[in-house]
């Protein structure tokens, strides 16, 4: 725990906050791209300790949340078929499709299994040669290398009964789409450190120059986020728009060359739909021609499915940073973690789940409280640094 406690030190957090307050002279809107960063900001109350004019806009960086409804419905269709073992990470099992989720398909008799790694699904395929085994491969650049390696291994082992249902999306095209939206209010970005640990930072300078926004790569602990915000504010106040790496302990500029090589072999760039946002050109991966035989979407011919989003759910607006979760009329009423209308309430990285868990039920002003002792975990529903606004 000591290593984590060093990045939760309340005295250092106070110094960084003082520097942010001293530097800020104008209102600024900063988007944290990653859902893990959103949860850390809300859990620790960092957004409520910032100067009044600084708004943190929650971005679409939750892999479960942005998996499009049509992919969920395709997964449900495949999972329900006889002879199929459908494998997925546990956080996808409760994501609602048009009329059900994977748990309901499982309760109806389908063989749906939660696994901890795509390689677990490969093992299941080896042990069940008479069954079709499908792994639900979702996520950003962070989870893609393990999925790519699994398909690579399936081909090497000649496992004809294994396939991958692919829904991988990429961060840089999403940043471009956000900046080109007519409703965009974002003036700076906190980039996701774990994505950059795989891909490096090389794709971001062109985005910073093109859109005139600072992009600061940061981590997920309180001091990581505060340092990222501080650097972003310094750039904004100075009129600069550069890429900075505030997470050097995990992010080399070149990323992980071995992982990148595997990704380029197994996948190719494609247009991808994002749930609540729509199709973003060149924003995802699909299996390359050499591995196309392992594409579950093609193998099971589920390209054409009818989808129907909940009319009460505004998760698309949440993912675009247009509203905060509690501004949705269904939030905390029809839509709760037990009865989710959208993926942003299901996922452990979803903004709606974070607001519900830490009781951000309204826009009431928070009352500042002292920072806690280093390393103390919050109680359920409690914000570390400040009182909740609900």
């Amino acid at each position: 725990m000591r290593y984590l406690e060093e990045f939760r030190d309340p005295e250092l957090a106070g110094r960084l906050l003082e520097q942010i307050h001293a530097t800020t002279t104008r209102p600024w809107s900063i988007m944290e791209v990653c859902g893990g960063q959103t949860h850390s900001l809300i859990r620790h109350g960092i957004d409520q300790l910032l100067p009044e004019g600084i708004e943190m806009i929650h971005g679409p960086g939750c892999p479960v949340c942005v998996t499009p409804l049509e992919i969920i419905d395709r997964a449900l269709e495949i999972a329900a078929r006889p002879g199929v073992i459908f494998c997925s990470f546990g956080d996808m099992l409760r994501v609602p499709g048009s009329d059900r989720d994977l748990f309901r398909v499982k309760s109806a008799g389908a063989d749906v299994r939660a696994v901890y790694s795509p390689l677990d699904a490969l093992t299941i395929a080896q042990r069940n040669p008479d069954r079709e085994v499908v792994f639900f491969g979702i996520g950003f650049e962070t989870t893609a290398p393990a999925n790519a390696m699994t398909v690579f291994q399936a081909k090497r082992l000649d496992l004809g009964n294994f396939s991958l249902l692919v829904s991988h999306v990429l961060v840089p095209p999403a940043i471009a789409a956000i900046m080109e939206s007519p409703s965009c209010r974002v003036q700076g970005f906190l980039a996701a450190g774990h994505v950059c640990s795989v891909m490096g930072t090389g794709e971001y300078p062109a985005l910073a120059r093109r859109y005139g926004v600072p992009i600061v790569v940061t981590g997920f602990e309180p001091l990581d986020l505060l340092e990222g915000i501080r650097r972003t504010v310094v750039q904004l106040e100075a009129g600069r728009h550069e890429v900075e790496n505030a997470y050097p302990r995990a992010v080399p500029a070149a990323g992980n060359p071995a992982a990148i090589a595997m990704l380029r072999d197994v996948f190719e760039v494609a247009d991808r739909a994002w749930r609540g946002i729509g199709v973003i050109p060149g924003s995802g991966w699909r299996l390359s021609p050499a591995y196309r035989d392992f594409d579950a979407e093609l193998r099971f011919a589920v390209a054409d499915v009818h989808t129907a989003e909940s009319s009460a759910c505004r998760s698309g607006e949440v993912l675009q940073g247009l509203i905060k979760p509690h501004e949705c009329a269904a939030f905390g009423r029809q839509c709760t973690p037990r009865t989710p209308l959208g993926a942003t309430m299901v996922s452990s990285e979803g903004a709606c789940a974070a607001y519900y868990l830490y009781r951000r039920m309204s826009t009431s002003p928070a009352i500042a409280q002292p920072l806690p002792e280093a390393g103390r975990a919050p109680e359920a529903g409690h914000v570390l640094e400040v009182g909740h606004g609900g």
Side-chain angles (χ1 to χ4, degrees):
M1 280 298 294
R2 181 175 178 273
Y3 185 68
L4 288 179
E5 287 174 1
E6 292 173 350
F7 293 93
R8 298 175 181 176
D9 184 282
E11 183 178 346
L12 292 176
R15 292 179 190 172
L16 286 169
L17 282 164
E18 288 176 2
Q19 293 175 27
I20 294 169
H21 278 264
T23 304
T24 304
T25 64
R26 295 172 51 191
W28 301 110
S29 296
I30 302 169
M31 174 175 281
E32 82 280 359
V33 174
C34 177
Q37 293 171 337
T38 298
H39 267 255
S40 189
L41 286 169
I42 302 303
R43 174 188 178 187
H44 298 293
I46 292 171
D47 60 321
Q48 295 182 327
L49 291 172
L50 297 173
E52 185 176 349
I54 294 183
E55 179 188 3
M56 298 306 299
I57 299 175
H58 313 316
C62 162
V64 174
C65 304
V66 301
T67 302
L69 184 59
E70 55 264 34
I71 291 290
I72 302 294
D73 283 352
R74 288 169 193 164
L76 297 170
E77 169 70 19
I78 293 170
R81 295 193 181 182
V84 169
I85 301 174
F86 193 88
C87 301
S88 171
F89 292 140
D91 54 3
M92 293 301 298
L93 299 185
R94 294 185 61 245
V95 178
S98 293
D99 57 5
R100 52 185 174 164
D101 58 28
L102 284 168
F103 266 132
R104 291 190 182 182
V105 172
K106 180 179 176 66
S107 68
D111 193 345
V112 176
R113 306 184 190 184
V115 296
Y116 293 99
S117 163
L119 291 172
D120 292 341
L122 203 65
T123 301
I124 293 171
Q126 289 176 296
R127 293 175 178 173
N128 296 271
D130 58 333
R131 307 276 300 278
E132 286 284 346
V133 177
V134 182
F135 180 73
F136 199 177
I138 73 154
F140 289 89
E141 295 94 329
T142 319
T143 56
N147 292 341
M149 173 58 75
T150 302
V151 176
F152 176 86
Q153 290 284 67
K155 183 175 182 179
R156 187 180 68 83
L157 296 170
D158 195 24
L159 280 178
N161 65 324
F162 175 83
S163 59
L164 186 72
L165 182 61
V166 182
S167 185
H168 277 302
V169 288
L170 308 174
V171 170
I175 290 177
I178 289 166
M179 292 306 302
E180 291 174 7
S181 169
S183 56
C184 177
R185 299 182 294 113
V186 180
Q187 296 165 294
F189 286 92
L190 300 185
H194 53 359
V195 169
C196 294
S197 70
V198 174
M199 304 302 294
T201 59
E203 295 179 273
Y204 294 97
L207 291 170
R209 290 191 299 269
R210 186 188 314 158
Y211 299 109
V213 291
I215 300 175
V216 179
V217 179
T218 189
F220 306 88
E221 293 300 320
L223 296 189
D224 290 322
L225 291 164
L226 286 169
E227 174 62 7
I229 293 167
R230 186 194 69 80
R231 292 194 188 199
T232 305
V233 171
V234 167
Q235 284 203 48
L236 289 168
E237 291 282 342
R240 294 189 288 115
H241 44 271
E242 301 166 5
V243 175
E244 293 188 50
N245 183 6
Y247 199 34
R249 70 183 187 275
V251 177
N256 185 325
I260 293 171
M262 177 61 66
L263 291 169
R264 288 176 177 167
D265 177 35
V266 175
F267 293 121
E268 64 180 10
V269 173
D271 299 345
R272 275 286 172 193
W274 295 53
R275 190 167 192 171
I277 297 175
V279 175
I280 301 177
S283 67
W285 278 314
R286 65 185 176 194
L287 290 173
S288 64
Y291 298 90
R292 199 64 54 80
D293 289 344
F294 296 93
D295 190 330
E297 193 172 322
L298 298 177
R299 181 174 297 188
F300 293 93
V302 289
D304 296 323
V305 296
H306 175 71
T307 61
E309 290 276 11
S310 167
S311 59
C313 179
R314 300 178 66 186
S315 61
E317 293 169 84
V318 173
L319 289 169
Q320 295 177 70
L322 301 178
I323 65 170
K324 297 291 192 289
H326 53 56
E327 294 177 289
C328 174
F331 174 78
R333 298 176 178 85
Q334 301 102 304
C335 185
T336 70
R338 287 183 178 272
T339 58
L341 296 181
T344 48
M345 184 61 87
V346 175
S347 171
S348 60
E349 295 187 3
C352 295
Y355 271 60
Y356 189 92
L357 177 61
Y358 300 112
R359 301 299 188 266
R360 295 292 185 86
M361 310 301 283
S362 74
T363 54
S364 302
I367 300 173
Q369 300 291 341
L371 286 160
E373 297 175 8
R376 281 183 57 191
E379 298 175 3
H382 179 69
V383 178
L384 280 180
E385 289 85 1
V386 296
H388 60 70

